[in-house]
Amino acid sequence: MASFLEGSLGRIFVVRLPTDGDLLKTIEGFAGEMGVEAGVLWVIGAVRKAVIKYYNQEEKKYSRISLNKPLEILSCIGNISKLEGKIIAHVHLVLGDKDGKTFGGHLDEGTKIFSAEMILLEVKNVVLERVYDEVTGLNLFNL
Ligand code: ZN
């Protein structure tokens, strides 16, 4: 049986993120500024370069992948929650290069925006906190 919370739809933000901003920090900064403590988001656009992470399930460690070239954001989805009282964004993305080759992973700091449009939906009436999970080694929703 899945564990869950039931919330309701709050504010809807349509956002143009700044060129040369750091994608992850900008998303977290915007959510923090607007007081969005739980939410879901989508971004499309392009980046000048990207840093993504892959989680190794056996070692319970992330490895980083640096992509130092212009890429399209083909798909980017994520959520907003809180970890140790801080608003954080958990974001996954698929990027495409000029040949249509794709790369994907967990968004990390160091991803530089070329252009990015975000839709952020606020989820109200829930407290979405993350806690460390021994089994996976990840900070998961505390449900
Ligand atoms: Zn992730």
Side-chain angles (χ1 to χ4, degrees), residues 15-31 41 43 46-53 64 66 68 73 76 86 89 91 93 106-116 118:
V15 190
R16 188 176 135 189
L17 301 174
T19 299
D20 292 328
D22 182 280
L23 184 56
L24 181 59
K25 286 187 193 167
T26 303
I27 293 169
E28 288 180 337
F30 183 83
L41 64 93
V43 180
V47 296
R48 294 190 191 276
K49 61 177 187 167
V51 181
I52 54 178
K53 296 193 291 189
R64 300 175 100 217
S66 289
N68 290 308
I73 302 171
C76 176
K86 194 177 153 229
V91 180
L93 72 174
H106 175 115
L107 176 63
D108 201 2
E109 286 185 16
T111 298
K112 199 173 188 183
I113 299 166
F114 178 70
S115 68
M118 174 171 75

Side-chain angles (χ1 to χ4, degrees), residues 62 90-92 106:
Y62 281 104
H90 181 200
V91 180
H92 285 195
H106 175 115

Side-chain angles (χ1 to χ4, degrees), residues 47 50 52 67 71-74 93-97 101-104:
V47 296
I52 54 178
L67 302 161
L71 297 156
E72 300 272 351
I73 302 171
L74 304 179
L93 72 174
V94 179
L95 301 159
D97 73 8
K101 189 174 170 193
T102 54
F103 306 88

Side-chain angles (χ1 to χ4, degrees), residues 1-12:
M1 175 67 183
S3 51
F4 66 95
L5 294 172
E6 184 175 348
S8 54
L9 184 60
R11 295 169 290 171
I12 301 171

Side-chain angles (χ1 to χ4, degrees), residues 17 25 49 56 60 68 77 112 120 122 128 134:
L17 301 174
K25 286 187 193 167
K49 61 177 187 167
N56 184 312
K60 295 185 182 175
N68 290 308
I77 60 167
K112 199 173 188 183
L120 169 64
E122 181 183 35
L128 202 47
E134 294 277 348

